Amino acid sequence: IERTDIVIPYDLSNSMESNKVPGTNRTRTDVAAEATKDFINSLLTGNDKFRIAFVPYGTSIMDGNTRSYLQRNSNQNGGNYSVNEKNPFNYYVGSFTSNANEITSKIPSSIKHGNHGGTFTQQAIRRAGEIISNSNAENKVIVTITDGLPTVSYNQANVVWGTGTENQGVENMKAHRTNTINEANGLKSNYTLYSIGVGLSASSSAEREVIEGIAQKPEDAYFANTVQELVNALNEIANKISDSVVNGSIDDPITEEFILNSDNFTLASNEDLTDGEYFVTASDGSLLSGVTVTTEGQKVKVNGLNLGKDEWVKVRYKVQVDTNNYDIDPTKLYPTNGPTELTPRGDNPGE
């Protein structure tokens, strides 16, 4: 496939260390580090198809140079800072690399960041946009991994405000979410954005708002409350990024000698089609997630395909000979289908 550049804004706030992953005695920092390293290693295999940059952050970006600001009391005008100092922590890889070890060797399994452990997701997303704006890859992707609601953000004048904790009042916390989401929205027309909420609950309206808001669309946002869910989320994103067919579709036209029962095109329970009009199978059942089969006149349409090497989805369906077509010669064979069209990348049909 084409070359893909990925930027990972990566949350290293204090809550990553102070909270354990359910069912384990491991911190979110530890689990996220292991899963993220596996994700990076799975993509950076030396084939130069993928490059990754890494933007770790807490109260500010952890590149050893960016200043952290925390207010004594939350005020959207900024100022009155109790913390105003350079963030000394550095796990940053700000240039794209195809060397996995260059990033994975810097991802910590435990942290202690003190005043620098707030959650300034907006700043990390902004930096990711700056990095990826210099990419000449065909595909440009941002994958944000975070465990908490943003507690620091920019106001309309680009002044930093927030105390770094969630005890800032409903309206201020809402403003942090809005500022963070708006930052992501400004990137969505040019790049593809994914997000993972580590230890967050999809049932929380505030958490759902921000995690879905910083993703391209709701189905590109993931909530991982266990080790396996985090691994699964990163694997699914890796599959989407590396698939040769991403959100693809098929248009399969039926010829005029045959009739498609488009008015009652129902899913059968078996491949013999004894109780329906079509049946769908795949090389792996998980590939059917998001796949739809519909009709449009004399055309079968398959949407939501995400397939990589050696993966397949098969649609078996019924058609009937048009017995009212008197031009049909019973001694001849007729094709049931016209030219079938595959659109491999639904978000970029020209590719």
Side-chain angles (χ1 to χ4, degrees), residues 276-314:
E277 297 298 311
Y278 73 96
F279 189 71
V280 190
T281 54
S283 55
D284 186 306
S286 64
L287 297 173
L288 297 180
S289 176
V291 173
T292 62
V293 182
T294 58
T295 62
E296 185 180 285
Q298 280 283 95
K299 185 182 292 185
V300 176
K301 300 175 72 68
V302 184
N303 289 288
L305 294 170
N306 292 284
L307 301 171
K309 183 180 179 181
D310 297 326
E311 295 176 337
W312 53 265
V313 167
K314 180 172 71 173

Side-chain angles (χ1 to χ4, degrees), residues 45 59 79 111 175 202 219 273 316:
T45 58
T59 305
I111 56 174
E219 52 265 41
L273 307 181
R316 180 181 174 87

